């Protein structure tokens, strides 16, 4: 018996080193050895979810780790052990039937809200708080967000059982351009209009809920709760971190989409730029409708200001902002919606506290720091590649190719250097976007060009001119 346990610790050590600490802790930390009989090893885990996940993803890995210790082992039997003391929802839930997916892997079946005890188990995750002001009624539509708004409306108006038109709906935009507003509007409208259940979660909440559920062994309850919803809305996906959370996110996404449930996602960048996600998730995300919301045009900014003033007047009837002040604010506060909101809040506070009407002078004084001389442009790696290719008269595919002739090596290095200095992308991400190169190659290019521009005046001018073209 002791020698069996010794073996088991060595097997666990092997597992830990092959899958890495994170994955090991998420999936294997609570796996126990029940016994070894002839060529079969019996292992147990506390939940059905862990069992099916390990079977689907790690069965071979576990077997080979055992075989390294005991070559005669040919089979792993994985069972769900009954809890010593009942955990949270003690009531036995019927075993979820295992649905075969088209790729042959198992996906836990989605149960409909009609039968699943959703309201009780909903507590297992609890949505993120919603702001009652962020509705469709207060969302102003303009050139930059027409498509995103139309798609969001369509999603919000769907009814249970309707065919899903685009799944997932993926909206991306820079900070303060209305992503959260639109997503919360979908959630409010969806939950009030009909019988569907719409759940709004920030990526952080998704991570926190999942990690917490694993720790308290209620992963199953968490998953069941997630699966009892019709529309899953996830905000700020760029914050999703950690291998096992991502694996879990991928699994949830697949299960929901395969079952015809709607998924809506917002992030500050397109799926192809979510560097920490693996390729399968990225392509699944890109497989629905991907919409970008551009910067807010002046008309839209004016519309947002007016809508904010109208909302404020609901509580402060005497508050008024003259037309010329609104025009001034719309013209000068160009950066994002948050600053527009901030400007109105300040004017409101100032006029209330001092009991003075809002004037242009007052507005100029109060919002001075919200006016940014020039808003930095979001530069994309594709733009850099395009502009550099044009400048050096090579094709973009030359830059991405493995060709090493001098006429493409230098432009490629310049493009990588610009990608590092003009975007926030990491070295590995840049490498990936340049035909799957290693991050050390990118680093080498960056250092090389840095050194060259310091002494080669012509190259320095070339690089500066490229920067200007990109920042225009
Ligand atoms: P993001 O999530 O993209 O960073 P938010 O949705 O939080 O941006 O928007 C920032 C602020 O700007 C919020 O106060 C929001 O209500 C406002 N806003 C942005 N776009 C619009 C719009 N189209 N209509 C009304 N308000 C908007
Ligand atoms: Mg947001």
């Amino acid at each position: 018996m002791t020698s069996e346990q010794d073996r088991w610790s060595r097997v666990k050590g092997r597992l830990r080193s092959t899958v890495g600490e994170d994955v090991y802790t998420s999936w294997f930390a609570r796996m126990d050895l029940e016994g070894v009989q002839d060529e079969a090893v019996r292992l147990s885990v506390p939940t059905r979810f862990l069992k099916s996940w390990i079977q689907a993803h790690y069965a071979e890995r576990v077997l080979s780790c055992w075989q390294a210790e005991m070559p005669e082992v040919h089979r792993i039997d994985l069972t769900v052990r009954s809890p010593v003391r009942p955990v949270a929802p003690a009531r036995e839930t019927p075993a979820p039937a295992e649905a075969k997916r088209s790729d042959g892997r198992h996906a836990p079946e989605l149960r409909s809200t009609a039968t699943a005890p959703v309201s009780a188990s909903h507590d297992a995750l609890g949505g993120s708080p919603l702001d009652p002001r962020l509705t469709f009624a207060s969302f102003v539509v303009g050139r930059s967000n027409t498509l995103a708004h139309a798609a969001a409306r369509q999603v919000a108006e769907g009814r249970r059982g309707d065919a899903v038109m685009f799944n997932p709906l993926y909206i991306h935009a820079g900070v303060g351009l209305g992503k959260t507003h639109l997503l919360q509007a979908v959630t409010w409208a969806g939950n009030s209009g009909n019988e569907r259940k719409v759940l709004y979660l920030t990526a952080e909440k998704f991570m926190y809920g999942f990690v917490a559920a694993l720790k308290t062994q209620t992963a199953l309850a968490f998953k069941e709760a997630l699966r009892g919803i019709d529309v899953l809305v996830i905000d700020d996906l760029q914050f999703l971190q950690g291998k096992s959370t991502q694996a879990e996110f991928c699994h949830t996404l697949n299960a929901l989409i395969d079952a015809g449930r709607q998924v809506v996602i917002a992030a500050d960048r397109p799926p192809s730029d979510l560097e920490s996600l693996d390729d399968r998730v990225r392509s699944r995300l890109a497989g629905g409708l991907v919409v970008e919301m551009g910067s807010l045009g002046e008309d839209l900014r004016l519309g947002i200001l007016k809508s904010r003033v109208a909302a404020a007047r609901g509580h402060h009837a005497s508050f008024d902002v003259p037309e010329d002040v609104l025009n001034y604010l719309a013209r000068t506060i160009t950066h994002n919606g948050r600053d527009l909101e901030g400007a109105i809040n300040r004017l409101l506070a100032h006029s209330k506290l001092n009991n003075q009407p809002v004037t242009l002078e007052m507005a100029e004084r109060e919002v001075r720091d919200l006016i940014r001389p020039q808003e930095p442009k979001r530069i994309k790696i594709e733009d850099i590649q395009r502009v550099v290719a044009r400048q050096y008269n090579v094709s973009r595919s030359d830059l991405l190719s493995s060709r090493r002739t001098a006429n493409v090596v230098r432009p490629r290095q310049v493009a990588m250097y610009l990608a590092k200095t003009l975007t926030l992308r990491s070295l590995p991400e840049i490498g990936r976007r340049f035909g799957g190169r290693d991050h050390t190659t990118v680093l080498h290019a960056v250092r090389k060009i840095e050194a060259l521009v310091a002494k080669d005046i012509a190259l320095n001018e070339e690089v500066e001119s490229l920067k200007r073209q990109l920042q225009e």
Side-chain angles (χ1 to χ4, degrees):
M1 190 65 199
T2 24
S3 79
E4 244 173 38
Q5 286 300 338
D6 286 348
R7 283 216 175 92
W8 175 221
S9 351
R10 285 199 297 275
V11 170
K12 284 196 283 192
R14 281 176 191 279
L15 257 178
R16 192 193 292 269
S17 58
T18 61
V19 299
E21 193 62 39
D22 275 359
V23 173
Y24 181 86
T25 318
S26 303
W27 308 114
F28 301 107
R30 287 172 297 138
M31 191 174 199
D32 286 343
L33 175 67
E34 299 290 328
V36 183
Q37 209 164 38
D38 305 326
E39 55 177 35
V41 170
R42 272 184 302 118
L43 297 172
S44 71
V45 285
T47 68
R48 251 189 314 265
F49 164 60
L50 276 177
K51 176 184 161 189
S52 66
W53 185 265
I54 291 170
Q55 274 172 338
H57 299 270
Y58 297 105
E60 267 156 37
R61 210 81 69 94
V62 175
L63 182 61
S64 64
C65 287
W66 268 102
Q67 286 174 332
E69 287 296 324
M70 292 177 72
E72 64 272 31
V73 170
H74 278 101
R75 206 176 76 225
I76 303 286
D77 292 333
L78 193 55
T79 59
V80 179
R81 59 176 176 267
S82 47
V84 182
R85 66 195 150 73
V87 285
R91 178 183 27 75
E92 251 315 302
T93 38
E98 306 239 297
K100 270 270 188 209
R101 293 216 318 254
S102 51
D103 60 5
R105 298 221 319 267
H106 288 280
E109 190 197 47
L110 297 177
R111 303 193 311 148
S112 93
T113 36
T115 52
V118 171
S119 48
S121 53
H122 226 230
D123 300 342
L125 47 145
S128 300
L130 293 180
D131 182 336
R133 296 171 309 170
L134 303 182
T135 62
F136 279 120
S138 61
F139 190 83
V140 184
V141 184
R143 205 158 38 95
S144 57
N145 61 24
T146 313
L147 182 58
H149 172 260
R153 264 235 115 93
Q154 172 91 31
V155 164
E157 284 161 9
R159 302 186 69 83
R160 177 174 295 161
D162 279 0
V164 174
M165 275 179 65
F166 15 75
N167 215 4
L169 167 60
Y170 186 107
I171 295 171
H172 65 101
V175 171
L177 300 183
K179 299 181 297 294
T180 296
H181 192 142
L182 205 50
L183 259 50
Q184 295 209 0
V186 168
T187 312
W188 284 118
N191 277 332
S192 70
N194 51 41
E195 78 283 19
R196 293 194 313 171
K197 182 120 235 148
V198 184
L199 183 70
Y200 171 88
L201 288 175
T202 59
E204 278 159 309
K205 186 87 182 178
F206 181 87
M207 287 191 291
Y208 173 76
F210 182 60
V211 173
L214 273 184
K215 282 199 183 124
T216 57
Q217 307 202 359
T218 55
L220 188 64
F222 177 76
K223 299 195 66 68
E224 298 242 313
L226 255 188
R227 295 198 164 131
I229 52 183
D230 299 285
V231 184
L232 177 64
V233 179
I234 297 197
D235 201 355
D236 286 328
L237 188 68
Q238 72 275 8
F239 293 132
L240 198 72
Q241 303 265 315
K243 276 258 176 302
S244 63
T245 319
Q246 290 184 11
E248 181 50 25
F249 171 72
C250 177
H251 198 58
T252 304
L253 190 70
N254 283 330
L256 286 168
I257 293 177
D258 291 347
R261 308 292 165 84
Q262 177 77 54
V263 177
V264 184
I265 287 167
D268 69 352
R269 59 198 81 172
S272 59
D273 285 5
L274 286 169
E275 30 196 289
S276 62
L277 289 185
D278 76 37
D279 289 341
R280 276 172 314 147
V281 189
R282 265 201 295 263
S283 63
R284 187 100 221 207
L285 291 174
L289 177 66
V290 177
V291 198
E292 178 169 14
M293 289 199 289
S295 50
L296 308 169
E298 193 170 328
D299 290 353
L300 192 49
R301 300 199 293 267
L302 188 61
I304 293 174
L305 288 166
K306 286 182 175 162
S307 130
R308 286 282 159 192
V309 172
R313 281 167 65 89
H315 298 104
H316 309 279
S318 64
F319 179 59
D320 193 23
V321 183
E323 196 73 24
D324 61 337
V325 174
L326 289 173
N327 288 329
Y328 165 76
L329 296 176
R331 201 173 56 247
T332 51
I333 303 178
T334 54
H335 198 64
N336 70 42
R338 278 180 210 168
D339 289 351
L340 295 173
E341 184 183 6
I344 297 299
N345 288 342
R346 278 196 213 170
L347 297 185
L348 175 63
H350 194 85
S351 79
K352 282 276 142 196
L353 295 176
N354 300 320
N355 206 11
Q356 280 172 1
V358 175
T359 61
L360 195 54
E361 290 79 58
M362 166 185 163
E364 280 171 350
R365 206 173 47 241
E366 286 303 305
V367 305
R368 202 175 306 147
D369 60 302
L370 295 177
I371 299 169
R372 310 186 191 195
Q374 192 204 343
E375 82 194 72
K377 195 178 148 203
R378 265 213 300 179
I379 295 173
K380 297 185 182 131
I381 291 184
E382 291 94 88
D383 297 334
I384 295 176
Q385 291 168 341
R386 192 171 38 75
V387 170
V388 170
R390 193 176 57 202
Q391 171 100 3
Y392 290 98
N393 207 12
V394 294
S395 70
R396 189 168 160 252
S397 54
D398 284 336
L399 293 180
L400 308 192
S401 74
S402 53
R403 288 182 47 206
R404 303 221 18 96
T405 46
N407 69 321
V408 295
V409 168
R410 182 52 47 79
R412 185 184 292 137
Q413 289 177 332
V414 168
M416 288 181 182
Y417 166 81
L418 291 172
K420 185 64 203 147
T421 45
L422 300 179
T423 74
L424 295 172
R425 303 292 170 247
S426 65
L427 294 173
E429 166 69 358
I430 295 171
R432 207 174 59 71
R433 304 287 295 277
F434 276 84
R437 292 182 151 76
D438 194 70
H439 73 276
T440 53
T441 310
V442 183
L443 185 60
H444 173 75
V446 173
R447 297 224 167 112
K448 177 95 196 175
I449 299 301
E450 256 166 15
L452 283 177
V453 293
K455 50 184 194 221
D456 181 338
I457 299 173
L459 182 69
N460 187 25
E461 274 172 11
E462 239 163 63
V463 168
E464 287 307 313
S465 138
L466 285 165
K467 282 189 186 167
R468 275 195 304 278
Q469 290 177 51
L470 285 160
Q471 276 158 343
E472 251 164 24

